[in-house]
């Protein structure tokens, strides 16, 4: 059932829509298909009125875990988006990406309490350095503080990514 899985990936299709490519067409078709599958009358009859609602309410810990998974997936998806999108198409959506990178909330993820989030964030910064360093031109202070203040990272899963990000920042970001 594609519709159930589609609900977890609307952000990905939003990014694909911005590209103006085959990914855009695929995203639109996926959305149409999943909408039909999820909201069609036969789908509602098959599940019944009560099964569409969760049988129990999610606990606060479950909601936090879901938020963290969505956040990590979104950061990883954004990294993949940057890696796969051709430069000419990336330039077409420069303003959208610039808005994201200039957001204060984006930079706060480098200090997140969950190691998986920090790891995904530093991977995203690496992708930005590799594919879109011009997006970081006005954010030099944020980049340097976020990376070089975390070189003493205590978590062994995040540390290699931080050092990798430091090397990318040293080679791509222009200070001055």
């Amino acid at each position: 059932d594609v519709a159930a899985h589609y609900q977890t990936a609307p952000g990905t299709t939003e990014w694909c829509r911005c590209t103006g490519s085959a990914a855009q067409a695929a995203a639109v078709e996926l959305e149409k298909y999943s909408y039909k599958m999820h909201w069609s009358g036969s789908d509602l009859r098959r599940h019944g009125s009560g099964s569409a609602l969760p049988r129990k309410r999610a606990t606060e810990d479950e909601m936090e875990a879901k938020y963290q998974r969505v956040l990590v997936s979104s950061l990883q998806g954004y990294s993949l988006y940057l890696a796969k999108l051709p430069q000419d198409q990336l330039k077409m959506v420069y303003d959208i990406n610039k808005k994201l990178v200039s957001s204060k909330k984006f930079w706060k993820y480098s200090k997140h309490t969950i190691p998986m989030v920090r790891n995904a964030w530093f991977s995203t910064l690496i992708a930005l350095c590799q594919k879109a360093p011009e997006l970081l031109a006005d954010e030099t202070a944020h980049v340097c503080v976020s990376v070089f203040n975390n070189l003493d990272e205590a978590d062994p899963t995040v540390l290699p990514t931080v050092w990798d990000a430091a090397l990318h920042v040293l080679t791509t970001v222009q200070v001055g």
Side-chain angles (χ1 to χ4, degrees):
D1 185 19
V2 176
H5 299 289
Y6 171 73
Q7 291 177 340
T8 62
T12 306
T13 57
E14 289 302 317
W15 280 112
C16 290
R17 280 191 193 146
C18 298
T19 66
S21 65
Q24 176 186 14
V28 170
E29 288 305 311
L30 175 63
E31 184 174 351
K32 287 179 189 174
Y33 175 75
S34 63
Y35 182 80
K36 287 179 198 172
M37 290 300 294
H38 190 66
W39 296 111
S40 68
S42 61
D43 190 51
L44 291 175
R45 282 191 300 274
R46 182 175 43 135
H47 290 296
S49 61
S51 65
L53 300 173
R55 296 208 185 270
K56 66 172 191 158
R57 291 206 179 264
T59 66
E60 200 169 311
D61 290 340
E62 291 171 334
M63 293 300 290
E64 180 64 23
K66 183 176 182 178
Y67 168 74
Q68 292 167 5
R69 287 191 307 271
V70 168
L71 181 56
V72 168
S73 297
S74 297
L75 288 168
Q76 290 172 340
Y78 186 60
S79 297
L80 181 64
Y81 160 78
L82 289 170
K84 298 290 183 185
L85 197 66
Q87 286 295 327
D88 58 330
Q89 291 182 357
L90 191 57
K91 288 178 183 174
M92 290 177 10
V93 290
Y94 176 86
D95 293 335
I96 296 169
N97 290 304
K98 186 65 178 171
K99 186 176 179 182
L100 174 74
V101 171
S102 61
S103 166
K104 290 180 183 180
K105 192 169 189 173
F106 175 77
W107 296 101
K108 288 183 182 181
Y109 291 134
S110 69
K111 300 174 192 153
H112 202 278
T113 57
I114 305 301
M116 286 177 29
V117 172
R118 289 194 311 272
N119 194 36
W121 186 85
F122 283 107
S123 294
T124 301
L125 186 62
I126 291 167
L128 282 164
C129 287
Q130 289 174 338
K131 295 293 282 190
E134 64 278 358
L135 291 170
L136 300 173
D138 296 336
E139 303 297 331
T140 304
H142 281 125
V143 171
C144 292
V145 168
S146 297
V147 173
F148 297 121
N149 282 353
N150 284 303
L151 289 177
D152 62 346
E153 172 67 49
D155 192 285
T157 59
V158 181
L159 187 61
T161 312
V162 172
W163 278 90
D164 194 15
L167 292 173
H168 279 87
V169 166
L170 284 172
T171 58
T172 59
V173 174
Q174 301 291 325
V175 180

